[in-house]
Amino acid sequence: MTDTYDPNALVDRWLPIWEQRGIFEAGGPDDERPRKYVVDMFPYPSGDLHMGHAEAFSIGDAIARFAMMRGANVLHPIGWDSFGLPAENAAFRRGLDPRDWTYANIAVQAESFRRFGISFDWRTRLHTSDPQYYRWTQWIFLRLYRQGLAYRKASLVNWCPVDQTVLANEQVIAGRCERCDSVVTKRNLTQWFFAITRYADRLLEDMVPLEGRWPEHVLTMQRNWIGRSTGAHVDFAVQGRLEPVRVFTTRPDTLYGATFFVVAADSALADELCADDRRAEFTSYVETVRSESEIERMREDRPKTGVFLGRHAINPLSGERIPVYAADYVLAEYGTGAIMAVPAHDQRDLDFARAFSLPVRMVVDTGNADPALTGIATTGDGVLVNSGPYDGLRKAAAIQRVTDDLAAKGLGEPAVTYRLRDWLLSRQRYWGAPIPIVYCDACGEVAVPDDELPVRLPESGYSLRPEGGLSPLQSATDWVRTTCPRCGGEARRDTDTMDTFVDSSWYFLRYPSAHDERQAFDPGQLRRWAPVDQYVGGVEHAILHCLYSRFLVKVLHDAGDLDFVEPFEALINQGQVIMAGASMSKSKGNLVNLQEEIAKYGPDAVRVTMLFAGPPEDDIDWADVSPTGSGKWLARVWRLSGEIGRAALESDPGSGTSHLRQVTHRTIDEVTRLMTGSRFNVAIARLMELTSALRKAVDGGAMDSPAEAAAVREGGEALARMLSVFAPFVAEDSWARMGQQPTVHEAGWPTADPALVVQDVVTCVVQVAGKVRDRLQVSAQIGAEELRSIALTTDGARRALDGRGVQTVIVRPPKLVNIVPV
RNA sequence: GCGAGAGUGGCGGAACAGGCAGACGCGCCGGACUUAGGAUCCGGUGCCCUCGGGCGUAGGGGUUCGACUCCCCUCUCUCGCACCA
């Protein structure tokens, strides 16, 4: 055993031993230990692991290892989210097949994970781009298809002109492509959707039990994303149209304040309603609107525009005739694509009314100044005015009454709308799971039978680059040409592939039976493991990935495949690793290379630095933290273990109650609690304190006395066991240096002796007028009366009182006395 | 604009339930050992000070014997959403 601390040599020493013993493999069905399923969001193979991976997986590993050390049967799996557009683009840039590029990266990442010492059960390893995996992604698609939850629809979709593909709403950030930042345009294409909106209410309701277990802001983001609004549908007759036009409003109480009517300019309805003499103006307006980018449309200070359509709508309750406009501030996709405009109580309507000199009629008196004069719409509570039979009602009562009256007359009904849209999953790209549908001239749209899955991606030999909005798979003509599973006639395959979020929204169901060739997931295994007890990953997936996973689990539950409705019982979003105040990027030149950091400090020091920097959810600025400092601490532990190792193994700390034993057991007690709350930074601070206490004892000659040496050994061994969850290599080597057999990871979490945790003597603070004036060492069991009289006679108290009398004394034995002078 | 969260030393951050503010670490200062130190070990380190104390958790007010912690107002920052009717 060498005496020079070389962190990277420890990796080579212990990795083969751990792997040979299989110590991180989950127990089988007969394993009686309590089970825990810990999942890190699986990586995307875009290159080697980076600093962000190191942080996320350090957190997940600490959680998984802590559970293992406490005697749980832990499933800690790993896989790769290996389909997707970035890999495809990167491969084409290099003139490579996406498959080769992807699997080469996976190999590199897997080896990096190994050497980083993450406690994965490698038997679970899966890749979403394996036919053995995407076969079941296709099976899940068909599961939704048969339930009517997957459907095809021609619609105006978000189009990224650079990536040449359709994007889900969720992938458009402020009008730009999430991936390449180019300005998104619109296209009319027939696309596949999952009907996630049908699950909107359940996605909302089922969040209640997640309170306190998921980050609050993630729940808020999901709620906002779903965007449930309650109100009413109201039918307005429009001249020259048989059917009334329906609007959605959250403020039916303001119906008498509607002074005009607006339909979305780009909707079919606007086109239909346009009067002949307005056609020219309307057409040119729509052209202007269409040519504007999303960015321009979303400019905050953008003036309201629109055109009068030459018709009027009839207010169903008041009978008033109001003009109908087309405008781009009304969205075709939200609600019904038409609104009643109440300028007095809606700022957007007011802005439009002022731009077009339309009347503004206040119908709810909120006590604020008239919006017609101020230009500020009022939205608060108030009393109805100018509203015929509803005058005098308060807002809430009026909403109820108006809605009821509309319903009674068949002119409307209570309604709920959502911001959430159905999940658009078709992608005109090569590197994804093909959609398992064929089109037959005789039978139409036909599902590929389950036993013909997977529909494999054609291997190569085609131009696989996206062109002109056509899926690259269209050029694979002999792949496209197939036979209809129903009639045996000629048929064509769907040439789109699925959004990779489909792949990643069910992988945690596959892990426990990752290589099962008969089914997507094993219900028996899932009964043992699922749902995921702890999920760890970046906040960038707080909406998309988490919402889609929640949706899919509910669908599979309803299909009778699963007996739970939420995939992730608890969620931690780790912060980002940044450098010198900015997110890392090659162009900023502030990229920190993970492998270089590991080469310099060893994997353990990098892990400890990540976890010690602050709470897991906080960002880490690598410029503010010190891998050197973490490395120094680990080296201290390692050297200490060598000194402890020279003391006799068999010595027993016995029943001694030395100060050091108390420190050890209090540390165990506290670190155990801190780990339960994922308070890794504080837990590490406590372990550092224990290290210093042990160092001090050894330097003070403790090793010369058998009893004291035994207490040092007890502390050192407890330290190694606890350290193992953060710094597995150093902990393991220290364990061996103290003369113990491998491995520390099987040694179990130390147990605190309650007798040593309880403080028998405590420090009592003596305050005068709330300021600390003295400190006392008193028995933890001291009575209030006794403590009061001792406190009053302390030097500090007497000096501070300076002859003044005592008004009252607050005694909180044994920790505090506060003397209040006259 | 709307919603959520956060402001503590030079820096990252501690403070369980209203009871010793600044644990632990970085940085800095000093010392020991040393041919040497970018190794190791030990000590110091919120600010001011007449060495008794005074001030101090963004700012202002309040509740309390006692407030980083609870309440109100203001300021600043971060994140999310952003014409969603």
Side-chain angles (χ1 to χ4, degrees):
Chain A
M1 204 173 283
T2 166
D3 255 307
T4 309
Y5 172 71
D6 177 355
N8 284 304
L10 305 185
V11 177
D12 297 319
R13 185 175 306 152
W14 293 109
L15 211 48
I17 293 172
W18 296 344
E19 288 174 349
Q20 179 245 318
R21 296 173 72 99
I23 58 176
F24 304 125
E25 293 180 359
D30 301 331
D31 197 318
E32 297 287 306
R33 295 175 295 167
R35 288 178 288 263
K36 188 150 181 160
Y37 188 18
V38 180
V39 181
D40 306 281
M41 288 183 189
F42 63 170
Y44 187 81
S46 50
D48 199 353
L49 300 182
H50 52 67
M51 297 296 282
H53 290 120
E55 193 202 358
F57 287 90
S58 295
I59 292 167
D61 202 43
I63 292 169
R65 286 174 177 274
F66 176 62
M68 289 178 201
M69 290 296 277
R70 295 243 281 169
N73 176 16
V74 174
L75 178 60
H76 188 204
I78 179 65
W80 275 268
D81 186 14
S82 48
F83 265 143
L85 196 150
E88 187 176 337
N89 289 346
F92 289 149
R93 262 200 310 279
R94 292 165 172 79
L96 298 170
D97 187 301
R99 189 174 283 101
D100 298 337
W101 164 254
T102 298
Y103 285 91
N105 282 334
I106 290 173
V108 169
Q109 290 194 347
E111 181 56 14
S112 293
F113 273 133
R114 263 189 80 234
R115 297 194 59 85
F116 202 50
I118 304 293
S119 65
F120 292 134
D121 182 341
W122 286 91
R123 298 172 306 173
T124 63
R125 177 169 177 173
L126 57 80
H127 316 120
T128 60
S129 55
D130 289 349
Q132 298 82 346
Y133 182 92
Y134 70 71
R135 165 184 185 175
W136 301 111
T137 304
Q138 293 170 337
W139 177 85
I140 283 171
F141 173 93
L142 294 172
R143 208 93 181 105
L144 273 84
Y145 180 69
R146 296 203 180 97
Q147 288 174 78
L149 290 166
Y151 65 92
R152 235 155 55 105
K153 185 178 79 174
S155 63
L156 221 48
V157 293
N158 301 304
W159 176 259
C160 173
V162 172
D163 290 332
Q164 294 273 307
T165 192
V166 159
L167 300 171
N169 283 320
E170 288 84 341
Q171 290 160 324
V172 181
I173 309 296
R176 289 175 179 275
C177 173
E178 156 186 85
R179 292 284 181 192
C180 68
D181 211 39
S182 45
V183 174
V184 170
T185 58
K186 294 275 182 186
R187 278 210 167 193
N188 202 358
L189 290 176
T190 298
Q191 306 281 319
W192 283 97
F193 292 83
F194 282 158
I196 190 170
T197 50
R198 281 197 235 161
Y199 280 74
D201 277 329
R202 283 172 62 193
L203 287 165
L204 280 173
E205 287 158 18
D206 291 348
M207 269 189 265
V208 175
L210 301 178
E211 300 269 5
R213 309 177 57 94
W214 278 41
E216 190 53 49
H217 72 280
V218 172
L219 295 175
T220 305
M221 279 162 69
Q222 292 221 352
R223 286 193 183 102
N224 291 343
W225 191 262
I226 296 167
R228 187 180 198 272
S229 296
T230 58
H233 280 146
V234 185
D235 293 329
F236 281 71
V238 175
Q239 61 178 138
R241 192 176 198 268
L242 287 175
E243 288 292 308
V245 176
R246 174 159 275 206
V247 303
F248 173 75
T249 176
T250 56
R251 295 292 306 276
D253 56 314
T254 63
L255 187 52
Y256 277 68
T259 54
F260 59 103
F261 194 96
V262 187
V263 296
D266 54 350
S267 65
L269 182 64
D271 188 66
E272 180 202 322
L273 290 181
C274 183
D276 292 342
D277 59 333
R278 298 282 164 173
R279 180 61 62 182
E281 194 189 347
F282 170 72
T283 308
S284 98
Y285 177 66
V286 171
E287 263 166 35
T288 316
V289 168
R290 288 237 165 101
S291 68
E292 279 185 321
S293 68
E294 289 283 311
I295 307 284
E296 287 163 24
R297 277 192 68 153
M298 291 194 312
R299 245 181 54 211
E300 238 176 82
D301 52 349
R302 193 166 175 274
K304 291 281 181 288
T305 58
V307 290
F308 178 50
L309 290 180
R311 290 181 197 257
H312 288 79
I314 310 298
N315 186 315
L317 289 188
S318 70
E320 185 181 5
R321 274 177 91 247
I322 56 177
V324 177
Y325 284 79
D328 66 353
Y329 84 92
V330 170
L331 308 175
E333 319 88 62
Y334 184 79
T336 64
I339 63 157
M340 63 177 208
V342 184
H345 306 295
D346 182 290
Q347 191 61 48
R348 296 156 298 175
D349 296 344
L350 184 55
D351 294 342
F352 190 89
R354 286 161 78 90
F356 287 79
S357 303
L358 292 159
V360 177
R361 187 188 315 131
M362 188 168 86
V363 289
V364 180
D365 186 355
T366 61
N368 293 313
D370 189 340
L373 307 174
T374 61
I376 298 161
T378 61
T379 56
D381 194 9
V383 177
L384 266 74
V385 294
N386 299 322
S387 294
Y390 304 100
D391 281 358
L393 288 175
R394 293 202 77 85
K395 177 174 164 180
I399 289 174
Q400 189 64 53
R401 279 275 295 280
V402 171
T403 309
D404 288 350
D405 289 355
L406 286 166
K409 294 176 184 168
L411 298 169
E413 61 196 15
V416 177
T417 61
Y418 303 90
R419 212 187 79 107
L420 183 70
R421 294 295 129 73
D422 277 347
W423 174 8
L424 195 171
L425 60 110
S426 304
R427 293 292 180 276
Q428 290 70 46
R429 299 296 299 209
Y430 168 71
W431 192 231
I435 291 172
I437 295 285
V438 301
Y439 303 96
C440 166
D441 287 338
C443 311
E445 180 182 296
V446 181
V448 175
D450 287 352
D451 60 9
E452 288 178 25
L453 299 179
V455 175
R456 287 175 179 264
L457 275 177
E459 291 289 327
S460 57
Y462 308 105
S463 165
L464 302 175
R465 290 159 192 268
E467 265 162 48
L470 301 177
S471 172
L473 289 178
Q474 289 196 8
S475 58
T477 46
D478 49 349
W479 178 87
V480 173
R481 198 178 314 119
T482 184
T483 52
C484 171
R486 193 171 297 161
C487 70
E490 230 177 69
R492 288 163 290 109
R493 293 195 183 280
D494 194 301
T495 54
D496 286 351
T497 53
M498 289 187 237
D499 181 4
T500 53
F501 278 112
V502 183
D503 308 330
S504 60
S505 57
W506 74 279
Y507 73 109
F508 46 88
L509 302 175
R510 178 80 179 160
Y511 276 141
S513 55
H515 307 293
D516 193 330
E517 293 185 2
R518 294 161 300 125
Q519 51 193 345
F521 40 82
D522 180 337
Q525 289 285 352
L526 287 176
R527 261 192 297 281
R528 292 177 63 218
W529 295 108
V532 174
D533 294 294
Q534 181 66 63
Y535 200 36
V536 180
V539 72
E540 66 274 19
H541 292 119
I543 299 180
L544 299 184
H545 164 65
C546 288
L547 193 69
Y548 291 154
S549 300
R550 296 182 59 225
F551 162 64
L552 217 71
V553 162
K554 287 175 206 306
V555 171
L556 293 170
H557 168 268
D558 293 354
D561 296 327
L562 301 175
D563 59 3
F564 52 94
V565 295
E566 281 293 327
F568 315 121
E569 293 267 286
L571 173 68
I572 290 179
N573 286 136
Q574 84 280 356
Q576 298 228 309
V577 185
I578 62 172
M579 183 60 190
S583 57
M584 294 186 197
S585 78
K586 214 179 278 179
S587 57
K588 287 180 204 150
N590 66 346
L591 213 57
V592 179
N593 182 285
L594 175 61
Q595 296 308 335
E596 285 171 19
E597 298 297 297
I598 291 174
K600 242 189 279 179
Y601 309 105
D604 285 345
V606 172
R607 294 165 59 130
V608 166
T609 304
M610 294 285 182
L611 296 172
F612 184 57
E617 59 275 11
D618 287 9
D619 285 354
I620 298 172
D621 191 330
W622 202 248
D624 289 339
V625 296
S626 173
T628 310
S630 304
K632 274 160 81 170
W633 172 52
L634 294 174
R636 245 155 82 91
V637 172
W638 187 85
R639 279 193 307 273
L640 196 54
S641 70
E643 292 168 62
I644 294 170
R646 290 194 274 277
L649 248 183
E650 60 274 15
S651 47
D652 179 2
S655 54
T657 56
S658 68
H659 176 68
L660 183 60
R661 295 204 68 210
Q662 292 187 353
V663 170
T664 298
H665 285 264
R666 277 173 205 149
T667 303
I668 296 169
D669 179 63
E670 206 179 347
V671 170
T672 305
R673 259 180 294 125
L674 290 163
M675 288 304 295
T676 309
S678 298
R679 309 278 317 279
F680 310 121
N681 57 330
V682 190
I684 289 170
R686 297 293 165 261
L687 294 184
M688 287 171 168
E689 287 177 284
L690 177 57
T691 308
S692 293
L694 292 168
R695 179 78 259 159
K696 200 164 274 179
V698 170
D699 290 347
M703 302 317 281
D704 299 334
S705 134
E708 288 179 57
V712 171
R713 167 173 289 282
E714 180 188 42
E717 292 184 359
L719 175 60
R721 294 181 194 218
M722 292 188 281
L723 182 63
S724 73
V725 304
F726 305 124
F729 296 103
V730 171
E732 186 72 287
D733 210 59
S734 299
W735 187 246
R737 282 160 65 83
M738 288 187 285
Q740 297 291 3
Q741 288 301 305
T743 88
V744 70
H745 307 296
E746 292 173 302
W749 191 256
T751 309
D753 179 349
L756 290 165
V757 172
V758 174
Q759 304 246 29
D760 39 6
V761 176
V762 299
T763 303
C764 176
V765 174
V766 180
Q767 297 180 332
V768 174
K771 290 195 171 119
V772 180
R773 298 301 181 182
D774 218 323
R775 289 185 174 84
L776 293 167
Q777 294 302 116
V778 297
S779 156
Q781 277 77 44
I782 196 166
E785 268 315 304
E786 190 191 346
L787 182 56
R788 175 194 156 101
S789 47
I790 297 173
L792 283 167
T793 61
T794 54
D795 289 347
R798 280 203 288 214
R799 198 167 40 223
L801 278 169
D802 194 25
R804 286 178 295 177
V806 172
Q807 193 179 61
T808 40
V809 182
I810 310 289
V811 188
R812 294 277 181 277
K815 301 279 276 193
L816 177 125
V817 176
N818 187 11
I819 301 164
V820 185
V822 186

